[in-house]
Amino acid sequence: MKHIISPLDLSVQDIDDILNLSENIITSPEKYAKVCQGKKLATLFYEPSTRTRLSFEAAMMNLGGNVLGFSSADSSSAAKGESVADTIRVISSYADICAMRHPKEGAPLVAAQYSSIPVINAGDGGHNHPTQTLTDLLTIKNLKGRLDNLTIGLCGDLKFGRTVHSLIRAMIRYENVKFVMISPEELRIPDYLKREVLDRENIPYEEVNVLEPVMPKLDLLYMTRVQRERFFNEEDYIRLKDSFILDAKKMKHAREDMLVLHPLPRVNEISTEIDDDPRAVYFKQAEYGVYVRMALIMKLLELDGDC
Amino acid sequence: MLNISGLRDGVVIDHIQPGGAFEIYNYLKLDKLDCTVAIIKNAKSNKTGKKDMIKIEGPLCVDLDILGALSPNLTVNIIRNGEITEKRHLGLPERVTNILRCRNPRCITSIEQELTHTFKLADKNTGIYRCIYCEQRYSNRS
């Protein structure tokens, strides 16, 4: 049985399979409307989430399956002090597959060690968020037509931003991918990612603290929110949150075919004035999140579209 | 110059990184032994400038290989009749459980006390260990 804890739990071939299945689902959703009939997805969300939880639930419903779960630690036995290991042992007998979000890093891995059903990490603190990465990959592949030969700008909170870390690890497996990291000094990408991932794999990257000059060279601009919940100190959050705001003026420096992605929710780092720009694809990206989760659920449950 | 007498029979754990001796002392539970144990801090080292050492009188029946994770590049000398009969350069174990402790307050091990603290070797060249849960690098500084 396979669990998805880190984006690297999936091989390039696995990812290709999931993205191809996602594209088939986009084309013919009716073909997949009953493949999970009689199956249940447990959504164990120990911290609030809108998109991720609802997209998992929508994905399972689109496949004809059912959903059960909780949406905050307060409404689960965690409030009584139950361990992740005990919770998943019990849930394993109630559901066929589980998606877990937890504020503590590594909690889904603990669950996977004790689970008898597939566990999908739906985000663990500032650590990994593999289904967001799959969503990002599907968006790039479907709208850009390729996953190789790309110059990717990563902007905002690159220190705590788990979506950025996961995306880097996933994208370096494709040919000729370069990164331009745009962030304040305090929120730069962690040294270990540079040393143990980018440098080790000889991936070209540059770090800058101004957005406009690098815009013309980007195929993609991946914006991230400076997340309040990742800071221990409120003053640091207030000082840095407005550092990098994408607006129509900055978009004038971008190529006609550059895409703007964002894992959402945004606060103010993308001005609403560019929402109607065809290059702003973050709402499309959120929609793709449902399709890619449908494909992942099918893969983990070893179902195909013909049953 | 501080003078500590030589051992006739025992174990010398040498080339411990400065400040690392107490962690090894605690891990090996040397406080429970009745024999003579000497901790030498910040001894001169030709290789690294400073080092810590531990001298233990008598045999020591524990798996010393695991100590490589606590202090990279250390050596263990086995002394018999006043002579070094065995000199072991300890490598870095691939995985260690309940030797190192994760100090990341965001890690699941920080709230679930029953979990083992397991680290894997992330980089052989630099001897970096990472928690298997949160991937935080091990640091012996709190």
Side-chain angles (χ1 to χ4, degrees):
Chain A
M1 182 184 40
K2 189 142 186 166
H3 308 285
I4 305 300
I5 305 303
S6 145
L8 299 183
D9 291 341
L10 295 165
S11 67
V12 172
Q13 183 60 53
D14 290 336
I15 289 174
D16 279 353
D17 292 346
I18 290 168
L19 300 187
N20 289 337
L21 179 54
S22 305
E23 287 172 332
N24 291 341
I25 292 169
I26 293 170
T27 310
S28 315
E30 68 289 346
K31 190 179 160 193
Y32 301 90
K34 292 182 180 173
V35 293
C36 279
Q37 221 164 31
K39 303 281 185 190
K40 292 189 284 289
L41 165 75
T43 51
L44 312 183
F45 277 61
Y46 291 80
E47 68 174 3
S49 154
T50 307
R51 258 153 308 278
T52 307
R53 184 170 63 82
L54 295 184
S55 65
F56 266 111
E57 295 184 359
M60 193 57 170
M61 289 172 184
N62 288 348
L63 294 169
N66 289 307
V67 176
L68 68 164
F70 52 83
S71 56
S72 77
D74 295 343
S75 56
S76 79
S77 289
K80 299 175 194 162
E82 185 175 59
S83 68
V84 168
D86 282 2
T87 301
I88 195 67
R89 281 182 177 121
V90 173
I91 300 296
S92 290
S93 61
Y94 297 166
D96 302 282
I97 186 167
C98 137
M100 174 182 282
R101 167 165 290 191
H102 200 289
K104 293 293 181 184
E105 299 170 3
L109 177 58
V110 173
Q113 289 167 343
Y114 294 93
S115 178
S116 57
I117 59 173
V119 175
I120 303 171
N121 180 2
D124 58 336
H127 189 211
N128 278 319
H129 195 354
T131 58
Q132 181 64 49
T133 307
L134 286 172
T135 302
D136 299 340
L137 295 180
L138 178 61
T139 308
I140 297 166
K141 184 167 180 248
N142 215 16
L143 300 180
K144 207 73 194 167
R146 64 183 191 275
L147 289 169
D148 53 9
N149 298 302
L150 292 168
T151 299
I152 303 172
L154 304 166
C155 181
D157 175 4
L158 309 185
K159 184 176 182 182
F160 297 111
R162 63 186 167 201
T163 56
V164 167
H165 301 172
S166 294
L167 185 61
I168 289 171
R169 288 179 191 271
M171 290 303 300
I172 61 166
R173 302 200 282 187
Y174 299 94
E175 291 292 317
N176 193 27
V177 168
K178 299 172 193 158
F179 295 101
V180 181
M181 326 274 196
I182 309 129
S183 72
E185 189 81 31
E186 293 90 335
L187 294 178
R188 283 195 169 169
I189 199 147
D191 280 346
Y192 79 88
L193 266 176
K194 289 186 214 165
R195 203 174 42 245
E196 294 172 27
V197 179
L198 295 169
D199 293 343
R200 185 187 283 173
E201 303 294 328
N202 290 319
I203 307 295
Y205 66 92
E206 59 180 302
E207 293 182 288
V208 298
N209 53 17
V210 187
L211 192 50
E212 289 96 322
V214 297
M215 288 284 271
K217 67 171 95 170
L218 304 179
D219 295 305
L220 303 169
L221 176 58
Y222 195 95
M223 297 292 297
T224 61
R225 177 168 59 103
V226 177
Q227 298 181 74
R228 183 191 292 265
E229 61 265 33
R230 302 291 170 229
F231 285 85
F232 287 129
N233 182 334
E234 183 74 7
E235 279 176 21
D236 283 350
Y237 169 73
I238 291 166
R239 185 169 57 84
L240 294 169
K241 73 183 173 67
D242 294 334
S243 296
F244 295 85
I245 295 173
L246 184 64
D247 55 20
K249 198 173 156 202
K250 290 193 182 82
M251 282 298 283
K252 284 184 182 157
H253 297 274
R255 289 187 202 156
E256 283 303 306
D257 63 347
M258 188 195 82
L259 299 180
V260 181
L261 283 77
H262 189 300
L264 302 178
R266 71 171 156 189
V267 182
N268 62 348
E269 63 277 12
I270 299 179
S271 167
T272 53
E273 68 190 14
I274 72 160
D275 287 353
D276 294 329
D277 187 317
R279 295 170 292 182
V281 298
Y282 29 88
F283 293 118
K284 193 78 184 162
Q285 185 183 356
E287 181 189 334
Y288 283 166
V290 176
Y291 302 128
V292 90
R293 288 180 177 98
M294 289 168 74
L296 181 62
I297 290 168
M298 285 179 62
K299 185 167 178 67
L300 293 176
L301 291 177
E302 299 176 353
L303 301 170
D304 61 47
D306 300 325
C307 61
Chain B
M1 174 81 182
L2 183 67
N3 190 19
I4 294 174
S5 62
L7 285 176
R8 182 164 172 77
D9 290 297
V11 176
V12 178
I13 305 172
D14 199 358
H15 301 112
I16 304 169
Q17 63 188 12
F22 278 103
E23 199 168 6
I24 291 174
Y25 180 90
N26 289 330
Y27 169 66
L28 294 175
K29 297 187 170 60
L30 298 180
D31 57 322
K32 307 280 188 231
L33 298 182
D34 288 331
C35 61
T36 307
V37 176
I39 292 182
I40 304 162
K41 278 191 66 177
N42 299 323
K44 272 189 188 168
S45 164
N46 292 333
K47 274 193 211 165
T48 56
K50 280 181 181 179
K51 65 179 180 179
D52 285 5
M53 297 170 74
I54 300 176
K55 293 188 175 188
I56 305 152
E57 186 190 43
L60 191 64
C61 299
V62 293
D63 176 12
L64 293 169
D65 290 334
I66 215 80
L67 297 182
L70 287 172
S71 184
N73 304 318
L74 59 72
T75 52
V76 174
N77 300 325
I78 311 294
I79 316 287
R80 297 270 181 272
N81 295 320
E83 302 285 333
I84 296 177
T85 57
E86 189 184 345
K87 193 177 188 87
R88 288 160 61 185
H89 295 272
L90 298 187
L92 299 166
E94 284 294 326
R95 202 174 172 94
V96 290
T97 298
N98 288 339
I99 308 292
L100 312 176
R101 290 194 70 78
C102 184
R103 295 189 172 103
N104 176 8
R106 295 186 175 96
C107 181
I108 186 67
T109 56
S110 70
I111 57 164
E112 298 217 348
Q113 310 304 322
E114 304 301 315
L115 290 173
T116 59
H117 285 239
T118 303
F119 281 72
K120 63 183 175 190
L121 182 60
D123 190 331
K124 274 184 187 164
N125 297 327
T126 52
I128 290 173
Y129 281 85
R130 291 198 178 281
C131 171
I132 63 162
Y133 297 111
C134 66
E135 296 183 88
Q136 181 88 1
R137 176 183 176 170
Y138 172 72
S139 167
N140 57 8
R141 292 170 189 85
S142 53

